[in-house]
């Protein structure tokens, strides 16, 4: 079993930055994928990025590619989501998720094995 804990959310003004953390514990495989999602109440979740542990690569959703960056600290089993130039429409609950096995670059299209509970990001002036 894998446990995921997100942190780093909060309130930020438009144009600001936040860095979210996703700490994973439990049995992760070398070819596991760690994804970031966000969800606004009443809307479907949006997949944002897919980090592949095997080679450290990340696939981004097109609408965040130029503003969000994923990094990792393998020693801490933690993946980060650096979010820059935040906009009010980025306001959402952000959560990370794990696919125990790679299935495709757009990992959000596949069944997720584990979810975290999320951290709230509010972008407002």
């Amino acid at each position: 079993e894998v446990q995921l804990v997100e942190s780093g959310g909060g309130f930020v003004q438009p144009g600001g930055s936040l860095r979210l953390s996703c700490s994973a514990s439990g049995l992760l495989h070398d070819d596991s994928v760690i994804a970031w999602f966000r969800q606004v109440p009443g809307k479907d979740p949006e997949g944002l990025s897919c980090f592949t542990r095997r080679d450290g690569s990340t696939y981004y959703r097109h609408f965040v590619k130029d503003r969000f960056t994923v990094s990792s600290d393998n020693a801490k089993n933690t993946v980060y989501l650096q979010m820059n130039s935040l906009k009010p429409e980025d306001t959402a609950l952000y959560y990370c998720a794990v696919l125990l096995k790679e299935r495709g670059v757009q990992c959000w299209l596949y069944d997720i094995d584990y979810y975290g509970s999320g951290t709230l990001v509010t972008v407002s002036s």
Side-chain angles (χ1 to χ4, degrees), residues 76-95:
K76 296 181 180 179
N77 238 11
T78 299
V79 173
Y80 304 97
L81 181 67
Q82 177 68 43
M83 305 187 296
N84 298 326
S85 302
L86 285 163
K87 307 173 184 179
E89 52 264 42
D90 293 319
T91 295
L93 180 70
Y94 286 72
Y95 57 95

Side-chain angles (χ1 to χ4, degrees), residues 6-49:
E6 302 92 340
S7 61
F11 182 91
V12 64
Q13 292 187 336
S17 299
L18 281 175
R19 189 178 80 156
L20 308 183
S21 300
C22 170
S23 296
S25 60
L27 186 61
L28 284 177
H29 304 152
D30 288 343
D31 59 347
S32 293
V33 174
I34 300 176
W36 282 99
F37 287 81
R38 68 185 181 189
Q39 187 169 21
V40 175
K43 294 189 176 182
D44 291 335
E46 290 183 315
L48 304 176
S49 63

Side-chain angles (χ1 to χ4, degrees), residues 63-103:
F63 53 78
V64 299
K65 188 173 183 179
D66 295 330
R67 298 186 296 124
F68 292 6
T69 303
V70 170
S71 60
S72 69
D73 184 335
N74 291 335
K76 296 181 180 179
N77 238 11
T78 299
V79 173
Y80 304 97
L81 181 67
Q82 177 68 43
M83 305 187 296
N84 298 326
S85 302
L86 285 163
K87 307 173 184 179
E89 52 264 42
D90 293 319
T91 295
L93 180 70
Y94 286 72
Y95 57 95
C96 58
V98 164
L99 292 80
L100 292 178
K101 294 288 186 180
E102 292 180 54
R103 297 187 181 98

Side-chain angles (χ1 to χ4, degrees), residues 2 4 6 37 95-98 110-117:
V2 175
L4 301 169
E6 302 92 340
F37 287 81
Y95 57 95
C96 58
V98 164
Y110 302 90
D111 290 337
I112 300 296
D113 294 299
Y114 298 98
Y115 289 96
S117 58

